[in-house]
Amino acid sequence: MSDTSKVSKTDSAPEEQGTVAPADDPTAAPVAVVDPRLLVREEGFKGYVTEFKRKVKGGELGSLPVVIGLIIIWTIFQLKNDRFLSADNLSNISYYLSATGMLAIGLVFVLLLGEIDLSVGSVSGLASTIFAVFVVEHGMNDWLALVLTILTGIGIGALHGFFFARIGVPAFVVTLAGFLGWNGLMLWLLGSSGTINIPADTGPVHLFGQSSFFMDQAIVGAYLLAGLGVVLSLVGQFNEQRRRRAAGVPFRPTSEILVRVALLGVASFVAAAVLNNAAGVSNALVIFLACLVIVDFVLRRTTFGRKVFAVGGGIEAARRAGISVPMVRITVFAISGMFAAIGGMFFAGQTASATLTAGGGNTLMLAIAAAVIGGTSLFGGRGSVWSALLGMLVIQSIQTGLDLLNMNTSIQYMITGAVLLGAVVIDSVSRRSQKAAGRA
C-alpha cells in the first residue's frame, strides 16, 4: 500500500474530512481538509456563535431580519394597546393571514424563477366566482365544484406559463394581461348585482369559514397539531441525519437535533395554548400550514424543487444540466394559479359570497409583499416557502395593530410599503455581501 493511501485511511474519516494535494506540488502527499461545519460543532456553543457571525458578515441572513422585525412590531403594538397580544387578537391574525398567504405560496415559486405573476389576485376572485356560479346557479355538488375551480386555476396558470415559456412573452406582460382579462371575466359572471351569496353551510365555504375549527374540539385539536408537528420534525431530522451519515457527508449531531426540536415544541405548544384561550385553531390555518409543509418538502426534497432553484439560479446552466426550462416555467405558473384559486376559496369562506372585491384592492400587492418580506429574493434562486407565513405574519400584524389604534388605511399602506422596501434593500445588500465573500 502506498504512503498516500495510508494517509487517507488513518488521518481522515469519510464523513469528516477529505484530502487535497498542495497546488504548488502535485506529487506531494495529500493534506487533510476538514469540513468547517465539523470544526464549528467541535467548539460547542462558541463554535455556533462564530459560525453565526460569519454568516451575517457573508450576507447569509436567512429569516433573521423578518423575525427581528416581527418582534419589534409586536412589542410596539403591545405597548400601544395591551389587547394586541391577547388570545382573541392573535387568533384573528392567524385566521385572516391564511387567504392572502395561499396566494403568497404560489408566488414564492414564481419569484424563485426570478419572475412575477400579477394575475393571482384576479384569478383568486374569478375562482370564488366560478365556484359560486357552479353551486348557486347550476346546483352542482359542492366538492365537485371545488375540484373544478382549482383545476381552472391550474389551467389559467399553465396558460400564462405557455405564453411566457413557449411564445417568449415576458411574464410581466402575460400576467398583467391576465390581471385585466380575468378580472373582466369575473365582473361579467357576477352580473349587475356584483355579488353571489353562497350558503354558509356549503361544504368548502363552511370549511374555510371563521367559525370552523379543527376537529370541532379546540383543545384536543390544537395540542394534537402541535404534537404532530414536533414528531414530524423529529423524524425528518433524524432521517436526514441517517442519510447524510450513510453518504459520508457532515450531519447534525443528535444533541443539536434535540435542541432544535425542543425549541419547536415550546413554540408550538405555546401557540396552541394561546389559540385555545380564544376559539381554537381554525381550519383555514390548519390547511394553510399543511400546504406549507407539503410545498416545503417539494422544494427541498424532490427533483422538481431542485430544478426550480436551478432555473432561478441560472437559466443557461440549467439548460446545460439537461433541465427542460420551459416545462419548469409552465409548471411553476400552473402551481401559482392553483394556489390563487385555493386562496379565492378562502376569501369566499370569509364572506360566504363571491363579490367584486374578492381578490381585488391591494390583495395582489400584499401577497407579493408577503413573499418578499418573508425572505424570498426578487432576483430568483433563493427563498423558502415559509417566507409566505413570516411575511403574512408581519403584514397582518401591522394591519390588525393599526386597526386597534384606529389608524387610517393610508397609514397601513405607507408602513407596509416601508417594510417591503426595507426587505428588498436587505435582500440586495445580502446578495452583494455574498458576492464579496465569494458565496453567491
Side-chain angles (χ1 to χ4, degrees):
M1 184 179 294
S2 65
D3 294 339
T4 299
S5 61
K6 289 179 181 178
V7 171
S8 174
K9 282 196 172 186
T10 58
D11 294 343
S12 65
E15 72 273 17
E16 294 180 355
Q17 41 188 4
T19 59
V20 60
D24 57 349
D25 187 4
T27 62
V31 178
V33 178
V34 181
D35 192 297
R37 288 171 292 187
L38 295 177
L39 294 177
V40 167
R41 288 158 187 164
E42 287 176 1
E43 294 178 0
F45 180 75
K46 180 182 177 182
Y48 284 101
V49 173
T50 303
E51 178 69 0
F52 174 76
K53 292 179 180 178
R54 184 197 63 79
K55 286 185 176 181
V56 171
K57 290 180 179 179
E60 300 176 59
L61 302 178
S63 302
L64 180 63
V66 67
V67 171
I68 293 176
L70 189 61
I71 293 173
I72 293 174
I73 290 170
W74 283 12
T75 302
I76 292 174
F77 282 128
Q78 179 64 17
L79 293 175
K80 293 291 185 179
N81 189 318
D82 59 6
R83 289 184 298 160
F84 180 79
L85 291 180
S86 65
D88 289 334
N89 191 57
L90 292 177
S91 178
N92 286 334
I93 291 175
S94 69
Y95 173 73
Y96 284 106
L97 65 79
S98 301
T100 308
M102 295 301 292
L103 274 62
I105 292 178
L107 283 168
V108 167
F109 278 88
V110 179
L111 291 174
L112 287 174
L113 296 183
E115 302 296 340
I116 194 67
D117 187 350
L118 300 178
S119 69
V120 292
S122 295
V123 173
S124 68
L126 176 63
S128 63
T129 301
I130 290 176
F131 177 82
V133 170
F134 282 157
V135 173
V136 177
E137 297 186 1
H138 297 285
M140 185 179 293
N141 176 270
D142 305 346
W143 300 104
L144 176 60
L146 175 64
V147 172
L148 292 178
T149 298
I150 294 175
L151 289 176
T152 300
I154 295 174
I156 290 174
L159 181 63
H160 294 161
F162 173 80
F163 278 104
F164 168 52
R166 295 295 187 184
I167 308 301
V169 183
F172 178 89
V173 177
V174 172
T175 56
L176 179 59
F179 167 78
L180 298 171
W182 305 125
N183 187 62
L185 179 58
M186 179 189 71
L187 297 178
W188 180 74
L189 290 174
L190 288 174
S192 58
S193 65
T195 301
I196 300 178
N197 292 318
I198 307 172
D201 59 351
T202 301
V205 171
H206 175 71
L207 178 67
F208 302 133
Q210 189 174 11
S211 60
S212 182
F213 299 96
F214 182 66
M215 294 181 62
D216 291 326
Q217 297 181 29
I219 294 178
V220 174
Y223 289 124
L224 178 62
L225 285 173
L228 180 62
V230 171
V231 171
L232 289 177
S233 176
L234 186 66
V235 172
Q237 292 195 55
F238 272 125
N239 184 53
E240 181 180 8
Q241 181 196 59
R242 178 188 58 79
R243 290 190 300 104
R244 294 181 70 86
R245 189 199 300 268
V249 296
F251 53 87
R252 288 197 179 102
T254 302
S255 58
E256 181 181 339
I257 291 176
L258 294 177
V259 170
R260 285 171 171 264
V261 173
L263 292 175
L264 174 64
V266 171
S268 300
F269 282 96
V270 167
V274 170
L275 293 177
N276 277 338
N277 286 332
V281 182
S282 65
N283 283 332
L285 178 61
V286 174
I287 296 171
F288 177 53
L289 293 176
C291 288
L292 287 173
V293 172
I294 294 171
V295 172
D296 178 66
F297 176 83
V298 170
L299 281 177
R300 296 195 303 116
R301 302 297 184 196
T302 66
T303 301
F304 173 73
R306 288 190 287 272
K307 289 179 179 179
V308 172
F309 280 102
V311 173
I315 296 174
E316 187 57 34
R319 284 197 183 101
R320 291 177 181 273
I323 296 174
S324 175
V325 174
M327 185 55 63
V328 171
R329 286 173 163 175
I330 293 172
T331 305
V332 162
F333 276 90
I335 291 172
S336 180
M338 178 185 71
F339 279 105
I342 298 174
M345 292 305 305
F346 276 55
F347 286 122
Q350 291 178 2
T351 61
S353 65
T355 66
L356 295 173
T357 59
N362 62 344
T363 301
L364 168 63
M365 295 298 104
L366 291 180
I368 296 174
V372 176
I373 290 172
T376 298
S377 176
L378 280 170
F379 304 100
R382 189 179 66 190
S384 168
V385 69
W386 294 99
S387 61
L389 173 61
L390 292 173
M392 278 310 304
L393 272 174
V394 170
I395 291 174
Q396 196 62 50
S397 295
I398 292 173
Q399 291 183 331
T400 305
L402 293 177
D403 286 341
L404 287 176
L405 299 178
N406 295 319
M407 292 287 188
N408 192 280
T409 304
S410 59
I411 304 297
Q412 295 182 13
Y413 289 173
M414 287 187 283
I415 293 179
T416 303
V419 173
L420 174 60
L421 177 61
V424 176
V425 169
I426 291 174
D427 181 34
S428 300
V429 173
S430 173
R431 290 177 65 88
R432 189 175 303 172
S433 299
Q434 289 188 28
K435 287 182 179 179
R439 302 179 67 86

